[in-house]
Amino acid sequence: MRTAISSGASEYLVKPYTMQDFANKVKRLLGGYQHEMPLAAQASNKVLGLADTAEVEQRIASSTVLVVDDMQINLDMIAEILKDDYSVQTASSGLDALQITRSSQPPDLILLDVMMPEMDGHEVCRRLKADAITRNIPVIFLTSQDDVDEVIRGLEIGAVDYIVKPAEPGILKARIR
């Protein structure tokens, strides 16, 4: 715990935890439950202009998710799952994804496949995190690679989460939220 706090973490979860515990932490960090939030998190929300849970819910509902995968069927399936909750953009290559992230309307979150031709997801993530304009866009790897070393590698290069395909729609939505 001390290491996490001294490293700059604003919150942490101790295992085992429930999805409700996780959701409450995320809501607290994004602006809900002002009375329970640490002062640093409250200050962050003021900078973001978030005052209450309704504002947080509205911000989540108006978020854009960029789905990056070289397989059109995967893009279509994920877009279908998310379309009722988010604005969904798709990219079929790493280069297309990088262009979209540097556009006038970048995504709020990126779901990124690892195994793609020309530029794999790891390289896309490295480039996003190395660029001052895109480094704060959260990346979740959504891939069929489930090897522990691959998960660790993805998280170490900057992903906030790692989801293994095929993803159950309810779990995918909960983790994006």
Side-chain angles (χ1 to χ4, degrees), residues 108-160:
D108 298 295
L109 177 105
I110 301 169
L111 291 177
L112 181 59
D113 187 24
V114 171
M115 297 184 300
M116 296 186 295
E118 298 174 30
M119 183 186 306
D120 70 12
H122 292 131
E123 181 59 24
V124 173
C125 188
R126 272 194 278 290
R127 289 185 187 192
L128 289 167
K129 298 307 171 185
D131 186 331
I133 294 172
T134 60
R135 75 172 40 125
N136 293 322
I137 301 172
V139 173
I140 297 175
F141 280 116
L142 179 60
T143 182
S144 59
Q145 291 189 319
D146 63 354
D147 180 68
V148 172
D149 291 335
E150 283 297 318
V151 174
I152 292 168
R153 181 178 175 200
L155 296 172
E156 286 178 342
I157 62 173
V160 297

Side-chain angles (χ1 to χ4, degrees), residues 52-106:
D52 60 24
T53 304
E55 278 187 76
V56 172
E57 295 298 326
Q58 178 58 37
R59 181 170 177 182
I60 290 170
S62 65
S63 296
T64 300
V65 176
L66 172 60
V67 183
V68 186
D69 198 304
D70 61 311
M71 302 290 294
Q72 188 62 46
I73 192 165
N74 292 339
L75 292 173
D76 294 342
M77 181 179 64
I78 300 302
E80 182 65 27
I81 291 169
L82 301 178
K83 72 178 184 179
D84 292 336
D85 300 313
Y86 305 97
S87 173
V88 180
Q89 297 175 309
T90 60
S92 59
S93 73
L95 288 174
D96 289 345
L98 292 173
Q99 285 182 323
I100 291 169
T101 61
R102 293 190 52 86
S103 71
S104 62
Q105 295 191 322

